[in-house]
Amino acid sequence: MRGREGEQAAAGGTDWDSLAPWWLETFSNGADIEYELQILPLASAALAGCRRVLDVGTGEGQLARRIARTEPLPELVVGVDPAAAQVRNAAAQQGGPVYLRGRGEALCFCDGAFDGVVCCLVIEHADDGDLFLAELARLVAPAGRLVLVVNHPALQGPGSGFVDDHVLGERYWRVGPYLTEQAVVEEVDQGVPIRFSHRPISRYVNPLCRAGLVLTSMEEPAPPLQFLADSIDLELELAMPRLLLLGFERPAAGRPMRE
Ligand SMILES: C[S@@+](CC[C@H](N)C(=O)[O-])C[C@H]1O[C@@H](n2cnc3c(N)ncnc32)[C@H](O)[C@@H]1O
C-alpha cells in the first residue's frame, strides 16, 4: 500500500472515514495484486488452525473474510476498526466475520479472548505503538498467536526508496533514517494523504516479548513479480521486501516464557 509520491512532516491523523470509498475501490475484492497474491495468503496462512480470531484495523474486512473461509474453519472471526465507514463497508460484504468499531489502543475484550490476533498494515497509522502492542498482547490466549504485518521498517521507512542517479549513472535503494522514530504524511495516491508512524523493528519485537510473547516466525517476502510489472529495475526491486510479517506465540500455561 505504501507509495512514494511525496512525504511531509505529519500534522494530524488520517481521516479513514473519508478514505473508505477509495480503500474499497483500490484495495479490496481483487483490486490490488499485492493483497491478492501475497498479503491475504500469507496472513491467513499464519493464522490457520486458530479458532477465535480478531482482526484489528480490519478496514473493509478482506483479511477477516479470508480467514473466515480458511480451513480448518475458525469458530469466530471478529474485525474491529475505528472508522465507521470501513465497518459499514465490511458489514455489507458477504462472509462470516462480525464487525465492531474499536481502536487498537483500547479494545473491549477480556484478557486472552482470542487464540489468533492479527493486525495487518495498521499499527503504522497509530502514534502510540507501545499502547497498541500492549493491547494486542493482552488479548492473546495461552498457546495463541499474534500476527503482525507491517511495511518493512528497515527498507520502506521515511526517506527510503529507489534513487535513479542520472549524474553518476547509478541506481540504488536508499534507506532513510532507520532509528529515527517519526511520523510523516505520504500522498499514497493522488489526493490521498496518509499518516505513517515509523519505528524500528526492535520497537515492535521488544514490547511484545516483554508482554510474554515469543517471536516464532519472520517473513520478508520478495514482492510478487506481477506487482513489479512496471519496474525500471526488476532485479533490485525483487531484492527489496516491502512487507515484514512477525509471528508471535504466547506460551501455553505451565511452559516457561523463554526456554
Ligand atoms: C491500510 S488500512 C488496512 C486495513 C486492513 N487491515 C487490510 O489489510 O485490508 C488501515 C486501517 O487501519 C485502521 N486504523 C487506523 N488507526 C487505527 C487504530 N488506532 N486502531 C485500529 N485500527 C486503526 C483504519 O481505519 C484502516 O481501516
Side-chain angles (χ1 to χ4, degrees):
M1 194 269 276
R2 198 147 197 173
R4 292 280 141 219
E5 307 270 324
E7 287 172 9
Q8 61 190 73
T14 303
D15 180 358
W16 283 100
D17 273 299
S18 303
L19 294 183
W22 165 79
W23 182 259
L24 189 63
E25 188 185 323
T26 314
F27 289 100
S28 74
N29 294 325
D32 183 75
I33 292 178
E34 195 177 27
Y35 262 98
E36 283 308 301
L37 298 183
Q38 193 155 71
I39 298 172
L40 297 177
L42 259 184
S44 56
L47 289 151
C50 293
R51 288 180 303 127
R52 296 183 317 280
V53 179
L54 176 68
D55 178 20
V56 180
T58 193
E60 57 64 64
Q62 62 177 332
L63 177 55
R65 289 194 296 281
R66 175 67 70 105
I67 292 166
R69 58 169 207 264
T70 299
E71 300 279 354
L73 298 182
E75 287 162 15
L76 173 70
V77 180
V78 181
V80 296
D81 200 285
Q86 294 279 63
V87 171
R88 267 198 307 276
N89 286 342
Q93 316 256 344
Q94 303 290 316
V98 293
Y99 298 101
L100 300 169
R101 284 186 71 193
R103 305 187 66 76
E105 295 86 340
L107 291 161
C108 59
F109 304 103
C110 305
D111 295 1
F114 296 91
D115 65 346
V117 176
V118 61
C119 185
C120 176
L121 299 178
V122 173
I123 198 164
E124 299 97 315
H125 306 297
D127 285 342
D128 194 334
D130 287 342
L131 194 59
F132 202 122
L133 292 167
E135 193 62 346
L136 296 182
R138 182 181 72 76
L139 299 176
V140 180
R145 276 175 245 169
L146 168 64
V147 174
L148 203 58
V149 182
V150 292
N151 291 290
H152 201 303
L155 298 167
Q156 308 289 343
S160 303
F162 250 135
V163 174
D164 205 1
D165 188 330
H166 295 287
V167 178
L168 295 177
E170 285 178 347
R171 185 177 290 145
Y172 51 88
W173 194 269
R174 179 177 60 201
V175 173
Y178 173 68
L179 288 176
T180 304
E181 294 187 38
Q182 58 178 313
V184 297
V185 174
E186 289 184 22
E187 188 156 340
V188 301
D189 208 346
Q190 204 175 3
V192 180
I194 293 189
R195 178 181 165 102
F196 290 87
S197 291
H198 168 76
R199 44 188 81 89
I201 296 169
S202 54
R203 298 283 283 115
Y204 292 107
V205 172
N206 291 338
L208 291 170
C209 291
R210 280 195 290 269
L213 300 187
V214 175
L215 179 64
T216 52
S217 63
M218 183 165 159
E219 309 267 356
E220 299 171 289
L225 261 181
Q226 297 88 326
F227 182 79
L228 300 178
D230 299 328
S231 175
I232 52 169
D233 191 332
L234 188 60
E235 198 181 342
L236 179 57
E237 276 206 85
L238 274 175
M240 294 294 158
R242 291 166 52 82
L243 302 170
L244 172 65
L245 181 151
L246 298 170
F248 296 85
E249 284 181 25
R250 181 175 292 291
R255 254 182 66 195
M257 283 209 247
R258 295 184 188 197
E259 294 177 345

